[in-house]
Amino acid sequence: MNARPLLNRRLDGLGTTIFAEMSALANATGAINLGQGFPDTDGPEEIREAAVRALRDGKGNQYPPGPGVPELRAAISEHQRRFHGLAFDPDTEVLVTAGATEAIAATMLALLEPDDEVIAFEPFYDSYAACIAMAGAKRVPLTLRAPSFRPDLDELRAKITPRTRLLLLNTPHNPTGMVLTADEQNAIAALAVEHDLLVVTDEVYEHLVYEGTHRPLAALPGMRERTVTISSAGKTFSFTGWKVGWVTATGPLVSAVRTAKQYLTYVSAGPFQYAIAEALRLPDSYFESFRADLRRKRDLLGNGLRAAGFEVYEPQGTYFITTDITPFGEKDAYAFCRALPERCGVVAIPNSVFYDDPDAGRGQVRFTFCKRDDVLQEAAGRLRRLG
Ligand code: PMP
Ligand code: GLN
């Protein structure tokens, strides 16, 4: 081998994802992992059984169709109509992906040319920065600032240039828990139409909304033809390991994304697709009680964090709470999270790594509440030792 660095320059600096790093720290120290967002209780038993049944019945054990099995595409289409009043043709306007992660990658690779600009909320979900880089494009942050994390729409307007190709939105937003209001969505949609921009919207937390309601950007006037909507079964059904995600958009947009997806994974794993088709058809009561349970957990952890001395930014959606550690006299979120297992046996995520501007998120730390109540209570008790 010659001495040339092995890693492509576009990926240089992206390193190990913070989620993997912090989960490894939790495993190594035995600390309670409130870092990476995954539930400690699996989703509905009948959906697990549906996956077992699919495996036993030989459904999806060989390469399934590239766009996804017809049963799942139909169920996604029905879900979009049932919850959001949106009509997508299951044959041409729905694409199944290996989680939302692959949907994001395939969409960026399909739609971006080198040097295109992508405006995205900062803090960024980490794969956005990586996928924009892999596509050779440039990310342009629209910074969400504490305490409200509302986007500044004048700033958004000012950041649009002739090189802007798309807006990459995320609502409910990871890590801040911000949910766009109808007024904000209307203003963003008007800008997208005025400047003829594509919009990619990551709505994986669409069912995890505690304040207000989630409305897909694609439902706004002028948006359907320019919007790629991304979602996933991981959060809604508590099966993050199954990696079933999807894209809904117009035929030409889906076809562009499918072209990239074909050469990433070719197809997504089969049997889980049949199970998620059943999950998407669960009665409203499932979605309602899931949301009510998580709302209660949000309040449980939020109260625990406040009692421990954190400043808590109440999330309107997602299963994350962003806090500020400055009340402890601390400023460096990454150093704080590295030391937290040793100090009190808990793992969290430093939001600072999701910012281009190192000052913007310096003292912010994210905790997940998708854990059993006793685990949240134990973590809150341990965090009190920080005081
Ligand atoms: N987008 C956001 C905002 C997320 O938080 C996650 C977390 N997993 C993903 C995408 C990836 O979803 P999936 O696990 O379905 O790939
Ligand atoms: N979306 C989850 C989080 O934000 C997990 C992400 C991951 O592991 N890539 O914690």
Side-chain angles (χ1 to χ4, degrees):
M1 282 313 298
N2 66 29
R4 184 172 169 270
L6 289 174
L7 188 67
N8 181 321
R9 259 175 294 137
R10 288 179 181 168
L11 293 177
D12 197 16
L14 293 171
T16 304
T17 81
I18 194 72
F19 306 114
E21 181 184 341
M22 289 298 154
S23 280
L25 186 63
N27 289 337
T29 57
I32 296 178
N33 190 356
L34 302 188
Q36 189 177 26
F38 61 89
D40 59 1
T41 306
D42 286 347
E45 188 53 32
E46 72 253 48
I47 303 305
R48 272 212 298 210
E49 281 304 319
V52 172
R53 219 182 321 116
L55 274 165
R56 291 223 172 95
D57 292 349
K59 289 167 90 177
N61 290 334
Q62 308 305 329
Y63 292 132
V69 303
E71 287 83 346
L72 177 54
R73 281 185 280 118
I76 292 166
S77 173
E78 279 168 32
H79 169 277
Q80 295 303 73
R81 189 187 291 278
R82 169 178 162 200
F83 288 99
H84 307 309
L86 287 168
F88 286 101
D89 179 342
D91 291 330
T92 57
E93 297 185 322
V94 177
L95 174 69
V96 175
T97 55
T101 306
E102 189 198 29
I104 294 160
T107 304
M108 295 301 126
L109 292 170
L111 300 181
L112 293 172
E113 299 288 352
D115 301 324
D116 279 351
E117 291 175 5
V118 177
I119 303 178
F121 296 141
E122 172 189 70
F124 305 98
Y125 178 61
D126 68 346
S127 86
Y128 300 167
C131 292
I132 294 168
M134 287 192 275
K138 188 177 163 227
R139 64 178 186 271
V140 176
L142 181 69
T143 308
L144 306 179
R145 294 188 175 80
S148 72
F149 300 111
R150 310 288 354 147
D152 180 333
L153 299 169
D154 293 328
E155 208 175 309
L156 173 58
R157 175 180 286 280
K159 293 206 162 175
I160 297 172
T161 75
R163 288 234 56 96
T164 309
R165 170 73 165 159
L166 62 85
L167 305 179
L168 173 52
L169 305 175
N170 172 214
T171 183
H173 180 257
N174 179 9
T176 66
M178 182 276 294
V179 176
L180 288 176
T181 63
D183 285 350
E184 286 163 348
Q185 289 194 319
N186 289 333
I188 292 170
L191 281 173
V193 171
E194 181 186 333
H195 295 274
D196 197 22
L197 302 175
L198 291 168
V199 174
V200 177
T201 150
D202 176 344
E203 303 184 358
V204 298
Y205 298 100
E206 61 185 303
H207 288 287
L208 284 68
V209 176
Y210 318 109
E211 255 53 84
T213 46
H214 172 75
R215 194 168 57 135
L217 264 294
L220 273 71
M223 292 306 282
R224 192 186 186 284
E225 71 250 37
R226 64 182 69 251
T227 303
V228 174
T229 305
I230 293 172
S231 196
S232 156
K235 323 290 165 190
T236 304
F237 301 110
S238 300
F239 289 117
T240 60
W242 290 11
K243 299 298 293 185
V244 178
W246 52 86
V247 163
T248 48
T250 61
L253 282 167
V254 161
S255 158
V257 178
R258 190 175 55 231
T259 303
K261 186 241 152 58
Q262 284 181 119
Y263 299 106
L264 292 172
T265 52
Y266 178 48
V267 295
S268 307
F272 295 131
Q273 294 190 39
Y274 291 94
I276 295 301
E278 292 193 23
L280 286 166
R281 292 180 175 130
L282 285 168
D284 289 354
S285 55
Y286 167 77
F287 297 87
E288 283 156 16
S289 66
F290 181 62
R291 183 175 20 246
D293 199 37
L294 277 174
R295 181 187 283 115
R296 197 180 43 71
K297 288 178 186 294
R298 174 194 67 167
D299 297 340
L300 181 63
L301 182 64
N303 290 336
L305 288 166
R306 267 184 286 267
F310 290 85
E311 181 172 352
V312 170
Y313 302 121
E314 185 96 329
Q316 296 127 41
T318 75
Y319 43 44
F320 305 113
I321 295 181
T322 288
T323 63
D324 197 294
I325 56 172
T326 41
F328 299 107
E330 306 257 0
K331 285 197 183 62
D332 182 339
Y334 183 72
F336 179 85
C337 288
R338 293 277 319 160
L340 203 56
E342 182 139 332
R343 286 176 72 184
C344 70
V346 175
V347 160
I349 297 286
N351 288 14
S352 47
V353 303
F354 303 133
Y355 288 84
D356 282 341
D357 173 357
D359 282 329
R362 195 175 285 282
Q364 288 170 26
V365 170
R366 187 196 87 175
F367 295 85
T368 184
F369 52 85
C370 58
K371 304 292 174 184
R372 293 193 321 262
D373 289 6
D374 59 306
V375 172
L376 296 174
Q377 267 149 357
E378 171 66 24
R382 291 184 185 191
L383 287 163
R384 239 174 256 198
R385 290 187 217 146
L386 289 172

